Amino acid sequence: MTSMNPTTFDLFADTDPEQQPRIERIGEQSCVLRGFALPWLDRLLPALEAVLAAAPFRQMVTPGGFTMSVALSSCGTWGWTTDRSGYRYTRNDPQTGQPWPPMPEVFFQLAQAAALEAGFRAFEPDSCLINRYIPGAKMSLHQDKDEKSYAAPIVSVSLGLPAMFLFGGFVRSEKSQRVPLLHGDIVVWGGVDRLRYHGVLPIKDGQHPRMGEQRINFTFRTAR
Ligand code: MD6
Ligand code: FE
């Protein structure tokens, strides 16, 4: 410290936005960790490619008969699927008949680190749903309620094109907050906020320098 002159010291003062822990609370037990995934990307993206080679993105049909605009894949012990007969977690990918690819260690570690940063200890996700949005794709307001227990939080990683995340209440009609999400941001929510309605507005046209013309979202859960 003795070698630090006042000018150097100023660079690390608490007014420097680069040095702030960028945690934004969006609910009693929910927050956005700005840029949290960025230092992990060099390990995360190759692992993502390997998962997608084994379980490619596909568009699924809802029980109501609508084809989702978001393309989905999963990794981990349990993968989330939907078809005309309903929503469920399955051990096998219905498209390949094979077990979902195992969750890469770096996925698990990132999810656990983000949960801890948000105040949730010992998060052990057994499922990672991977969503791919191209411009125009959206996610209607919904609750994540197919998991067996709501004790564990959900950790949601955003990559690529920006999105406007809607964070609502406990009934669909309640007014939502609008939370802009950028490449590298992570939303963590749980506890009293676990069953809040949420969604994503249609993704705007654009090119992301690293991810191209898409937004990729991972949501980590404890399904069982
Ligand atoms: C998305 N996310 O951000 C969709 N669910 O693309 C979700 O549906 C979601 O971000 C639960 C918790 C966080 C989420
Ligand atoms: Fe969700």
Side-chain angles (χ1 to χ4, degrees), residues 80-141:
W80 187 87
T81 63
T82 173
D83 62 21
R84 285 308 299 257
S85 64
Y87 307 118
R88 69 188 75 77
Y89 282 99
T90 63
R91 282 187 179 273
N92 290 343
D93 176 349
Q95 190 163 268
T96 63
Q98 294 298 117
W100 293 103
M103 190 182 301
E105 194 62 26
V106 60
F107 279 41
F108 188 91
Q109 288 169 358
L110 171 59
Q112 203 164 60
L116 192 61
E117 186 76 8
F120 296 96
R121 270 165 210 290
F123 179 47
E124 298 227 3
D126 57 10
S127 175
C128 174
L129 174 63
I130 307 169
N131 298 306
R132 176 181 194 252
Y133 297 72
I134 58 173
K138 65 179 172 62
M139 183 80 74
S140 305
L141 281 178

Side-chain angles (χ1 to χ4, degrees), residues 24-27 29-34 70 129 131 133 137-144 153-159 161-169 174-183 185-190 193-204 215-221:
E24 291 174 22
R25 182 193 280 261
I26 56 171
Q29 291 188 273
S30 315
C31 64
V32 182
L33 307 173
R34 294 291 179 194
V70 175
L129 174 63
N131 298 306
Y133 297 72
K138 65 179 172 62
M139 183 80 74
S140 305
L141 281 178
H142 66 278
Q143 294 170 294
D144 288 13
I154 291 181
V155 170
S156 170
V157 180
S158 291
L159 301 177
L161 291 177
M164 190 60 80
F165 185 63
L166 302 175
F167 193 55
E174 201 172 314
K175 191 172 161 51
S176 300
Q177 306 178 50
R178 290 181 171 212
V179 181
L181 295 179
L182 300 176
H183 181 63
D185 291 347
I186 300 188
V187 182
V188 181
W189 66 26
D193 293 323
R194 180 62 180 72
L195 287 177
R196 282 188 184 273
Y197 275 87
H198 56 280
V200 177
L201 291 181
I203 300 296
K204 293 191 175 148
R215 170 176 184 261
I216 304 276
N217 167 264
F218 306 135
T219 61
F220 292 94
R221 303 100 190 281

